[in-house]
Amino acid sequence: MWANLTPLLLEATLQTLYMVAVSGVLGTAFGLPLGVFLATSQRGELLSAPLVNKVLGLVVNATRSVPFIILVVAIIPFTRALAGTSIGTTAAIVPLTVAAIPFIARLVENAIREVDSGLIEAARAMGATPFQIIRKVLIPEALPGIALGLTLALVSLIGYSAMVGAVGGEGLGDLGIRYGYQRFMPEVMAAVVVILVVLVQLVQSVGEGIARAVDRRAPRNRGR
């Protein structure tokens, strides 16, 4: 039995990694600048635009408040328009990305807001422009928090990628449902769960390692 299921598990794992990787990259590409803007655009801040900040904040909150499984179904027309279909691995990337963008944006916003305001005032006193402050002060200082936030986002995407198996997506979730649930093969479901746990642990470990590596405040061991 396992000789036949092993290729299926491998294929499903690769499909899950593909969905998570692409949606993670796209989510970061859109969510990172959005989070930076949300963190710096309230009244009196570097990119003061309170009205735009409020509107974008409402959109982000509204998107985050929709349960993922409902979001997948609600944006099927949008998914079909972009991917040409609403089922399959590529189609699943659309709702995964839509869910990732506001989540990442809020994580990045929180990381940037934790930066000491004294650093911003010091940079302003030295004549730095808002974009220079963002690029050379805020983002470098917030990198550990951003790295941990992106790690959390990837872990969430792994869980979401399993959910899309219930609505026509592929990957480990689909395999677990088709074989583990519908065909009453608990050993397949157990294998899927183990693989998902291993993926989460790997992502978490790598993310924490990156966060420590970019943390300017962390003590460095120096050779003597």
Side-chain angles (χ1 to χ4, degrees), residues 107-191:
L107 292 172
V108 171
E109 179 188 7
N110 291 336
I112 288 180
R113 290 196 179 280
E114 291 178 358
V115 176
D116 187 358
S117 59
L119 296 174
I120 300 175
E121 295 305 321
R124 274 177 164 170
M126 296 174 63
T129 65
F131 286 103
Q132 287 175 329
I133 295 174
I134 291 172
R135 183 168 58 89
K136 296 183 178 181
V137 178
L138 288 180
I139 292 180
E141 290 294 327
L143 269 182
I146 292 174
L148 291 175
L150 292 178
T151 300
L152 177 59
L154 286 176
V155 169
S156 298
L157 283 174
I158 292 174
Y160 289 162
S161 71
M163 289 185 201
V164 295
V167 288
E170 296 176 327
L172 290 168
D174 175 60
L175 185 67
I177 291 172
R178 285 193 294 115
Y179 285 83
Y181 178 70
Q182 295 176 349
R183 301 188 186 184
F184 303 102
M185 300 173 67
E187 62 275 10
V188 176
M189 184 68 76

Side-chain angles (χ1 to χ4, degrees), residues 75 94 118 126:
I75 66 170
V94 177
M126 296 174 63

Side-chain angles (χ1 to χ4, degrees), residues 20-35 93 96-105 108 150 153 157:
V20 172
V22 175
S23 59
V25 170
L26 293 176
T28 302
F30 289 98
L32 179 59
L34 177 59
I93 291 173
L96 286 171
T97 301
V98 172
I101 290 173
F103 187 49
I104 291 174
V108 171
L150 292 178
L157 283 174

